[in-house]
Amino acid sequence: MSVGTDNNKRIAKNTALLYVRMLLIMAITLYTSRVVLKQLGENDFGIYNVVGGIVSMFSIVSASLTSAISRFITYELGRGKEDKLRIIFSTSVFIQLGLWIVIAVLVETIGVWFLNNKMTIAPERMYAAHWVLQCSVVTFGVNMLSIPYNAAIIAHEKMQAFAYVSILEVVLKLIVAFMLYIKTFDSLIMYAILLVIASLIVRLSYSVYCRRHFKECKLERRFDKNVLREMLSYSGWNFIGTSSAILRDQGVNIVMNIFCGTAVNAARGIAVQMNNAVHGFSQNFMLAVNPQIIKSYASGQTDYMFSLAFRSARMSYFLLYCISLPVIMVMPWVLGIWLTIIPKYTVSFATLVLILGMSEAISLPLQYMNQATGKVKVYQITVGVLQMLNFPLSYVLLLYGLTPNSVFILSIIISQICLYARLLILRKTIGLEISEFITKVYLPIIYVSFVGCILPILLLILIVPYSDLINIFIGLISFLSAIVSVYFLGCNKNEQMFIQKKVKNFITKFTNSCRN
């Protein structure tokens, strides 16, 4: 059996495990959001999202090192350097601990000042907002310490363990949501405290599994200066890219609070949660592919890396498109079933965020290829500066009276500009052929996206009124239209034959099981 075939089977197996995980997580997360929004109310839900965003803003300090940890562990595993793996892991844990202390100091000074003086929060809810800020610091720190363990699981491609712990996490959050029905004291404060407890349980689960299964995950008092220097050199330039992404997301969220208030933050929070649930399908696919991209580069298999990256770029987009199109077509109906309270702008926000997610799904393999090379300076400066434009330009748009929807439209436009910038940079660093990417990835995506939505849009125009049955019909037709477009316009002959084989095997197994 060839190495490529073995790797493809491993990717398929890990992807299947992650999809089972995603289905459970999506169902639980969506229901949890409904319960939390109902129990907290629109304003408190918005407060939690925007105040938690203050802590996320300070994660600029740690996010660059997070990607460095994941890359270094995976890279050394691909090279088979077990001794250096242990050094990298222990160094990573101590780095994250130190950064947590730094971030806590920043939040307790700058963060508290910003909360008291710049944010639009009702005075009577400021006490609860401070509780949310403090609990968010603790939760954030606990999650930081879980990152080296999480990276080790993904690098070893033990997706079953990753899936189990992720499911445990959302189940704990569901339990937290139900505990909000117990009105013992302020629901928002209670919610923040319970999430801290849930994060501690998840952190302990990651630690126990990794220590039992991976030799390098036994924490030692080893702090290698050379490894630290390598990580800081890599993450130093990565800092620009990670800070730009955080400014685009949490920074813009705070700008929206300043101009529009907590109700709009609640709408954005709901839209982001819906996107996370749907976008998880393509993210899970890339989570299974990412270690293979880095390991193939580390072992010198660049042709296989390009082939895998192009194929995964298409498939991650198609997976997201097949789920997003039906949801977008019947968005008001979906939100009406999901939520008891629908804040203003939620429908448009959710639609635009899903489109943004599809736009960025194409770039994920390009990001992983750049991480694999370790040549991140030009890449992070260019893409980071472009993404940072979201923050000041969003401020200008809202300052001049444009609707909050304009912020998301701006993000979609900039994400496409960043895609082209990534292609130009990777052409110089690793010889990526832009014309090949356009032919094999971008054009099929355009064809599928255009053709797949024609019939659903016609149905929306021609069929009124929109009853439950009609919405279900339009959603089903949208899904089938997306699937057919992907099969005939998005897949090459080999991929079509692979799909046919899998469908036939499934039908045969299903028929045999029914007979028995």
Side-chain angles (χ1 to χ4, degrees):
M1 184 181 292
S2 67
V3 175
T5 302
D6 189 44
N7 288 339
N8 289 337
K9 286 188 175 182
R10 187 182 300 111
I11 291 171
K13 179 182 177 181
N14 287 333
T15 303
L17 284 169
L18 290 171
Y19 277 142
V20 173
R21 160 192 174 269
M22 190 62 229
L23 288 171
L24 290 171
I25 289 177
M26 182 176 68
I28 296 173
T29 300
L30 293 178
Y31 183 73
T32 301
S33 301
R34 171 192 173 98
V35 174
V36 172
L37 178 60
K38 181 180 179 181
Q39 294 303 310
L40 294 183
E42 183 178 312
N43 287 325
D44 276 4
F45 187 80
I47 289 172
Y48 187 84
N49 277 278
V50 73
V51 173
I54 293 178
V55 179
S56 296
M57 285 284 290
F58 287 101
S59 67
I60 288 174
V61 181
S62 68
S64 56
L65 267 172
T66 296
S67 61
I69 290 169
S70 180
R71 186 262 178 188
F72 274 77
I73 289 176
T74 306
Y75 188 86
E76 294 303 329
L77 192 62
R79 295 176 63 195
K81 301 288 185 178
E82 188 175 310
D83 290 339
K84 194 169 183 179
L85 265 175
R86 288 198 296 269
I87 296 172
I88 289 173
F89 179 83
S90 296
T91 304
S92 299
V93 174
F94 287 120
I95 289 173
Q96 295 291 72
L97 181 61
L99 281 176
W100 183 13
I101 296 172
V102 172
I103 291 171
V105 172
L106 291 174
V107 172
E108 294 301 330
T109 52
I110 300 173
V112 171
W113 171 85
F114 189 84
L115 175 61
N116 289 329
N117 295 280
K118 297 297 180 181
M119 301 203 68
T120 307
I121 296 174
E124 65 272 14
R125 300 306 295 150
M126 190 59 73
Y127 176 74
H130 276 279
W131 267 95
V132 170
L133 184 66
Q134 300 303 322
C135 290
S136 296
V137 172
V138 178
T139 302
F140 177 74
V142 173
N143 291 336
M144 280 183 63
L145 294 178
S146 296
I147 287 169
Y149 298 95
N150 194 326
I153 292 174
I154 295 173
H156 283 275
E157 300 182 66
K158 300 296 183 182
M159 300 307 175
Q160 187 175 8
F162 182 73
Y164 287 154
V165 178
S166 299
I167 292 170
L168 171 65
E169 184 175 5
V170 294
V171 169
L172 289 172
K173 289 181 178 179
L174 178 61
I175 294 172
V176 168
F178 278 126
M179 291 183 71
L180 293 178
Y181 284 104
I182 306 172
K183 301 291 184 179
T184 54
F185 58 98
D186 191 292
S187 295
L188 181 57
I189 297 175
M190 180 178 172
Y191 181 62
I193 294 173
L194 290 174
L195 285 181
V196 172
I197 297 172
S199 67
L200 287 170
I201 296 172
V202 171
R203 162 71 176 83
L204 181 62
S205 301
Y206 275 125
S207 177
V208 170
Y209 178 86
C210 289
R211 288 178 181 179
R212 289 182 178 179
H213 292 85
F214 309 136
K215 294 179 180 178
E216 72 271 15
C217 291
K218 294 179 181 179
L219 190 60
E220 304 173 358
R221 294 183 179 179
R222 302 176 70 179
F223 193 87
D224 191 287
K225 293 182 179 179
N226 292 327
V227 171
L228 176 62
R229 193 179 299 111
E230 289 179 40
M231 284 189 173
L232 291 178
S233 175
Y234 177 90
S235 61
W237 296 111
N238 242 21
F239 177 85
I240 299 174
T242 52
S243 61
S244 67
I246 291 168
L247 280 175
R248 182 198 61 194
D249 297 333
Q250 300 303 332
V252 170
N253 192 30
I254 292 173
V255 169
M256 292 174 74
N257 172 263
I258 294 171
F259 284 98
C260 309
T262 55
V264 171
N265 293 128
R268 182 190 176 278
I270 292 167
V272 169
Q273 288 189 18
M274 174 176 280
N275 179 62
N276 290 341
V278 175
H279 198 207
F281 285 91
S282 64
Q283 286 179 325
N284 282 332
F285 176 69
M286 287 310 306
L287 195 62
V289 171
N290 180 26
Q292 287 299 322
I293 290 177
I294 296 177
K295 289 175 183 178
S296 60
Y297 181 84
S299 59
Q301 299 174 311
T302 53
D303 289 340
Y304 174 71
M305 179 185 69
F306 284 134
S307 174
L308 181 59
F310 289 172
R311 185 168 65 252
S312 59
R314 275 188 299 115
M315 293 306 169
S316 61
Y317 177 90
F318 292 152
L319 288 168
L320 189 54
Y321 178 75
C322 289
I323 303 298
S324 298
L325 182 62
V327 175
I328 290 172
M329 289 297 135
V330 293
M331 183 66 75
W333 179 72
V334 170
L335 290 173
I337 292 176
W338 175 25
L339 304 172
T340 54
I341 303 171
I342 305 178
K344 186 181 179 182
Y345 293 112
T346 303
V347 173
S348 56
F349 281 9
T351 300
L352 291 170
V353 167
L354 287 178
I355 294 172
L356 175 61
M358 287 188 285
S359 175
E360 296 200 320
I362 311 170
S363 296
L364 282 176
L366 304 181
Q367 296 177 40
Y368 294 145
M369 280 196 292
N370 178 71
Q371 289 177 12
T373 65
K375 302 173 183 178
V376 296
K377 178 180 176 180
V378 176
Y379 180 96
Q380 294 295 353
I381 290 176
T382 306
V383 177
V385 169
L386 287 172
Q387 284 192 331
M388 282 182 183
L389 292 176
N390 277 283
F391 186 72
L393 292 180
S394 295
Y395 186 92
V396 171
L397 292 176
L398 295 176
L399 181 66
Y400 281 92
L402 274 72
T403 68
N405 292 327
S406 62
V407 171
F408 294 100
I409 295 171
L410 172 68
S411 296
I412 294 169
I413 295 171
I414 292 178
S415 74
Q416 285 297 296
I417 296 173
C418 288
L419 171 63
Y420 187 67
R422 290 183 176 102
L423 293 173
L424 289 174
I425 294 167
L426 290 174
R427 182 179 65 179
K428 293 181 179 180
T429 56
I430 56 176
L432 184 147
E433 292 291 339
I434 296 179
S435 59
E436 187 178 4
F437 182 88
I438 292 173
T439 303
K440 293 183 177 181
V441 179
Y442 208 77
L443 289 180
I445 284 173
I446 292 175
Y447 298 151
V448 168
S449 302
F450 178 75
V451 174
C453 67
I454 293 176
L455 181 57
I457 290 175
L458 289 175
L459 290 176
L460 282 176
I461 295 172
L462 297 175
I463 301 179
V464 289
Y466 301 126
S467 64
D468 288 347
L469 188 60
I470 289 175
N471 276 293
I472 292 172
F473 174 73
I474 292 175
L476 180 60
I477 293 299
S478 300
F479 179 72
L480 293 175
S481 178
I483 291 290
V484 171
S485 299
V486 167
Y487 180 80
F488 287 104
L489 299 175
C491 297
N492 56 41
K493 291 183 179 180
N494 291 332
E495 291 163 348
Q496 289 176 351
M497 290 174 64
F498 176 80
I499 293 172
Q500 291 173 10
K501 182 180 178 181
K502 291 298 180 182
V503 171
K504 288 179 180 178
N505 290 340
F506 174 79
I507 293 173
T508 301
K509 290 180 180 179
F510 180 77
T511 304
N512 292 336
S513 63
C514 290
R515 288 175 181 175
N516 296 332

